[in-house]
Amino acid sequence: MTEYETVIGLETHIQLNTTTKIFCSCKADSWGDPPNSNICPVCTGLPGVLPVLNRVVVEKGALLAAAMQAQIQPVSYFDRKNYFYPDLPKGYQISQYDMSLARGGYLDVPMPGYIRRVRIHKLHIEEDAGKTKNEYGQRLIDFNRCGVPLVEMVTEPDLRSAEEVVQYLIRLRQLLRWIGVSEADMEKAHLRCDANVSIRPRGAEYLNPKTEIKNVNSITAVRDAIQMETERQIREVEAGRRVEAWTLDWDEEAGVLRKMRSKETEADYRYFREPDLLPILLDEPWLEQILAALPELPLARRSRFIEQYGLPDYDADILTGERSLSDYFEAAASAYGGDPKRVSNWLMNDVLRMINERGIPAGELLLTPEYLAEVIKLVDSGAVNTNTGKSLLEKIQSSGHSPAEIVQAEGLAQVSDSEAIRNAVSEVLAEAPEQVAAYKSGKTNLIGWFTGQVMKKMGGKADPRLVRAALDELLA
Ligand code: ADP
Ligand code: ZN
Ligand code: MG
């Protein structure tokens, strides 16, 4: 049997997080708003209106292009893509065709054991169409999304498995949030993707006819649809049939692919230059100003974390998952001054849970990086024990008070008075003759129970090392 490999190219649509739409001043993000509440004559295509370009769309588009290492074009044009659709009131979409905002570029996608470089064929800006939906037995149209700014990015057919596509989307989402151009929430369709899929014998260089899967709007749907389509194509080929260039629709509810139509060609769209808009001239000063906002990118920062702080790959990956978390880590590591791995441990075990539970970015915690560093130092110096240190985190977060203030106000300082600890240990042993007997007859794991009892007696503040030493001594 032939061994096959899957070849995949993606067309992604990314909703930019601008305040207003691309060609009018309607609100861009109408998530949760009533249908047709963010519309005007421009975005609903009434006669006699003219589009005015939102410059922030160009800026965010160019920033993304730069982050993808693409070549930003100093001059680009808008074109009309003509087609009829009920939720496209103008009868055409303003897009970019042959002279788009950027060309080329790539995104590196770390996979277990290798990096997949996915080249970008083309990147352009365009307006979104509205939404149609079936409700109350009727076909209804919501124009709110008309004119919402999108970046369309088309990759070369460089991906080789459903898993690579999943990782590509995860890395793209990370990058979009990192540079602040999109919320990139797939559930809200901020990031949509069509997957072009073909198969070929493993190692072959040529491309076979592909199918295009539309409407895969979650990571799981992408994985399932590509997997399913790969298997279908293999069955076709093994049965001696050809794979035809269909467009397939992913039915989310049924979890199946349906044939939508034989594919239209570009000529069907009758592209021509948009006569109502001037070309975009991205001159040097403007471009420089845009690129000044380009931060160190996630993968570069990940490598730097490994080198500069000596972090394991795993830590570096998690800490650079999100920009605000990376900033938090660096601020805490610098305030702490000691082993950065220690900061990473506290951050990944305790602070990350807090962030996830509260659903806020690291930068908004009342537990600032400086406070975290202070807590770790208090534990290091023995001023408080580890458990108290951990409980301090929550207390700081809910009150906004500094660690020192809370330790002082609540009397949480660690008790390192050996005499007091010995007394507590003696009391515990005197109160538990059965356990002492059991311990002496070999149940040595009771040491944990004894420690717990002593801690309870001392309000959780005793130095655990001294407790252990006293127990060992008195039990012997
Ligand atoms: P179309 O004729 O559908 O417009 P394009 O050449 O414009 O095809 O490519 C559209 C997308 O399909 C791109 O993302 C590209 O990488 C991908 N693609 C092209 N050919 C193949 C193929 N044989 N297998 C998988 N993906 C492909
Ligand atoms: Zn409008
Ligand atoms: Mg094409």
Side-chain angles (χ1 to χ4, degrees), residues 7-11 154-157 196-198 207-210 212 263 266:
V7 176
I8 308 145
L10 295 180
E11 292 166 75
V154 180
T155 76
E156 299 291 351
N196 296 271
V197 180
S198 67
L207 290 173
N208 276 323
K210 63 178 167 70
E212 180 174 352
K263 203 185 146 46
E266 304 231 299

Short mmCIF file of all heavy atoms in Angstrom, two decimals, residues 7-11 154-157 196-198 207-210 212 263 266, ligand 1:
data_model
loop_
_atom_site.label_atom_id
_atom_site.label_comp_id
_atom_site.label_asym_id
_atom_site.label_seq_id
_atom_site.Cartn_x
_atom_site.Cartn_y
_atom_site.Cartn_z
N VAL A 7 -1.40 17.40 2.18
CA VAL A 7 -0.86 18.71 1.86
C VAL A 7 -1.97 19.72 2.12
O VAL A 7 -3.08 19.55 1.61
CB VAL A 7 -0.44 18.77 0.38
CG1 VAL A 7 0.02 20.17 0.00
CG2 VAL A 7 0.64 17.74 0.10
N ILE A 8 -1.66 20.73 2.93
CA ILE A 8 -2.71 21.67 3.31
C ILE A 8 -2.24 23.12 3.16
O ILE A 8 -1.13 23.46 3.56
CB ILE A 8 -3.15 21.45 4.79
CG1 ILE A 8 -3.51 19.99 5.02
CG2 ILE A 8 -4.35 22.33 5.14
CD1 ILE A 8 -3.14 19.48 6.37
N GLY A 9 -3.08 23.93 2.58
CA GLY A 9 -2.86 25.38 2.54
C GLY A 9 -4.07 26.04 3.18
O GLY A 9 -5.19 25.57 3.02
N LEU A 10 -3.84 27.12 3.92
CA LEU A 10 -4.95 27.74 4.65
C LEU A 10 -5.26 29.14 4.15
O LEU A 10 -4.35 29.90 3.81
CB LEU A 10 -4.61 27.86 6.14
CG LEU A 10 -4.42 26.60 6.95
CD1 LEU A 10 -4.10 27.00 8.39
CD2 LEU A 10 -5.67 25.73 6.91
N GLU A 11 -6.53 29.46 4.13
CA GLU A 11 -6.93 30.85 3.93
C GLU A 11 -7.56 31.28 5.25
O GLU A 11 -8.59 30.74 5.65
CB GLU A 11 -7.93 30.94 2.79
CG GLU A 11 -7.29 30.63 1.44
CD GLU A 11 -8.32 30.38 0.35
OE1 GLU A 11 -8.92 31.36 -0.11
OE2 GLU A 11 -8.51 29.23 -0.03
N VAL A 154 -3.28 34.15 3.06
CA VAL A 154 -3.30 32.87 2.34
C VAL A 154 -1.91 32.24 2.45
O VAL A 154 -0.91 32.89 2.14
CB VAL A 154 -3.65 33.09 0.85
CG1 VAL A 154 -3.67 31.76 0.11
CG2 VAL A 154 -4.99 33.80 0.72
N THR A 155 -1.86 31.01 2.91
CA THR A 155 -0.55 30.36 3.05
C THR A 155 -0.21 29.57 1.78
O THR A 155 -1.09 29.24 1.00
CB THR A 155 -0.49 29.36 4.23
OG1 THR A 155 -1.18 28.16 3.85
CG2 THR A 155 -1.11 29.93 5.49
N GLU A 156 1.03 29.26 1.62
CA GLU A 156 1.44 28.28 0.60
C GLU A 156 1.03 26.91 1.13
O GLU A 156 0.80 26.74 2.34
CB GLU A 156 2.96 28.33 0.40
CG GLU A 156 3.51 29.68 -0.07
CD GLU A 156 3.10 30.03 -1.51
OE1 GLU A 156 2.53 29.16 -2.22
OE2 GLU A 156 3.33 31.18 -1.92
N PRO A 157 0.95 25.90 0.24
CA PRO A 157 0.54 24.57 0.71
C PRO A 157 1.67 23.88 1.47
O PRO A 157 2.21 22.88 1.04
CB PRO A 157 0.18 23.82 -0.58
CG PRO A 157 0.86 24.55 -1.67
CD PRO A 157 1.09 25.96 -1.23
N ASN A 196 -7.52 24.04 2.49
CA ASN A 196 -7.39 23.37 1.19
C ASN A 196 -6.59 22.09 1.41
O ASN A 196 -5.49 22.14 1.95
CB ASN A 196 -6.67 24.27 0.21
CG ASN A 196 -7.46 25.53 -0.08
OD1 ASN A 196 -8.28 25.56 -0.99
ND2 ASN A 196 -7.26 26.56 0.74
N VAL A 197 -7.15 20.98 0.99
CA VAL A 197 -6.55 19.68 1.34
C VAL A 197 -6.35 18.83 0.11
O VAL A 197 -7.25 18.69 -0.73
CB VAL A 197 -7.47 18.91 2.32
CG1 VAL A 197 -6.86 17.57 2.70
CG2 VAL A 197 -7.76 19.74 3.56
N SER A 198 -5.17 18.25 -0.02
CA SER A 198 -4.94 17.22 -1.04
C SER A 198 -4.03 16.16 -0.44
O SER A 198 -3.47 16.37 0.65
CB SER A 198 -4.32 17.83 -2.30
OG SER A 198 -3.01 18.29 -2.03
N LEU A 207 1.79 18.50 -6.81
CA LEU A 207 0.54 18.71 -6.08
C LEU A 207 -0.61 18.05 -6.81
O LEU A 207 -0.71 18.14 -8.03
CB LEU A 207 0.25 20.21 -5.96
CG LEU A 207 1.17 21.03 -5.06
CD1 LEU A 207 0.85 22.52 -5.19
CD2 LEU A 207 1.02 20.59 -3.60
N ASN A 208 -1.48 17.41 -6.06
CA ASN A 208 -2.69 16.83 -6.64
C ASN A 208 -3.85 17.80 -6.50
O ASN A 208 -3.77 18.76 -5.72
CB ASN A 208 -3.01 15.52 -5.92
CG ASN A 208 -2.23 14.36 -6.50
OD1 ASN A 208 -2.02 14.29 -7.72
ND2 ASN A 208 -1.79 13.46 -5.64
N PRO A 209 -4.95 17.55 -7.22
CA PRO A 209 -6.13 18.40 -7.05
C PRO A 209 -6.56 18.41 -5.58
O PRO A 209 -6.42 17.41 -4.88
CB PRO A 209 -7.19 17.73 -7.92
CG PRO A 209 -6.44 16.92 -8.90
CD PRO A 209 -5.17 16.50 -8.23
N LYS A 210 -7.09 19.56 -5.15
CA LYS A 210 -7.44 19.73 -3.74
C LYS A 210 -8.93 19.99 -3.58
O LYS A 210 -9.61 20.36 -4.54
CB LYS A 210 -6.69 20.94 -3.20
CG LYS A 210 -7.10 22.24 -3.90
CD LYS A 210 -6.37 23.42 -3.31
CE LYS A 210 -6.47 24.68 -4.15
NZ LYS A 210 -7.79 25.30 -4.19
N GLU A 212 -11.60 22.23 -0.96
CA GLU A 212 -11.54 23.36 -0.04
C GLU A 212 -12.63 23.21 1.01
O GLU A 212 -13.81 23.12 0.68
CB GLU A 212 -11.73 24.66 -0.83
CG GLU A 212 -11.66 25.88 0.06
CD GLU A 212 -11.70 27.19 -0.72
OE1 GLU A 212 -11.62 27.14 -1.96
OE2 GLU A 212 -11.85 28.24 -0.07
N LYS A 263 -16.03 24.36 -7.52
CA LYS A 263 -15.41 25.64 -7.18
C LYS A 263 -15.55 26.70 -8.26
O LYS A 263 -15.42 26.44 -9.44
CB LYS A 263 -13.95 25.38 -6.89
CG LYS A 263 -13.36 26.46 -6.01
CD LYS A 263 -11.89 26.30 -5.82
CE LYS A 263 -11.21 27.65 -5.71
NZ LYS A 263 -11.85 28.60 -4.82
N GLU A 266 -11.49 32.56 -10.21
CA GLU A 266 -11.30 33.98 -9.93
C GLU A 266 -12.00 34.84 -10.97
O GLU A 266 -12.50 35.92 -10.66
CB GLU A 266 -9.81 34.31 -9.92
CG GLU A 266 -9.07 33.43 -8.93
CD GLU A 266 -8.18 34.21 -7.99
OE1 GLU A 266 -7.28 34.87 -8.49
OE2 GLU A 266 -8.42 34.13 -6.77
P1 ADP B 1 -7.47 28.42 -5.95
O1 ADP B 1 -7.38 27.91 -7.34
O2 ADP B 1 -8.40 27.59 -5.12
O3 ADP B 1 -7.70 29.87 -5.83
P2 ADP B 1 -4.82 28.95 -4.97
O4 ADP B 1 -3.63 28.52 -5.73
O5 ADP B 1 -5.20 30.39 -5.02
O6 ADP B 1 -6.04 28.04 -5.38
O7 ADP B 1 -4.60 28.53 -3.50
C1 ADP B 1 -5.58 28.66 -2.51
C2 ADP B 1 -5.11 27.94 -1.26
O8 ADP B 1 -5.02 26.55 -1.52
C3 ADP B 1 -3.73 28.35 -0.79
O9 ADP B 1 -3.73 28.38 0.62
C4 ADP B 1 -2.82 27.25 -1.29
O10 ADP B 1 -1.72 27.07 -0.44
C5 ADP B 1 -3.73 26.06 -1.21
N1 ADP B 1 -3.40 25.02 -2.19
C6 ADP B 1 -3.16 25.19 -3.50
N2 ADP B 1 -2.95 24.00 -4.10
C7 ADP B 1 -3.07 23.04 -3.15
C8 ADP B 1 -2.98 21.62 -3.13
N3 ADP B 1 -2.76 20.92 -4.24
N4 ADP B 1 -3.17 21.00 -1.96
C9 ADP B 1 -3.44 21.67 -0.85
N5 ADP B 1 -3.54 23.01 -0.80
C10 ADP B 1 -3.36 23.70 -1.93
#
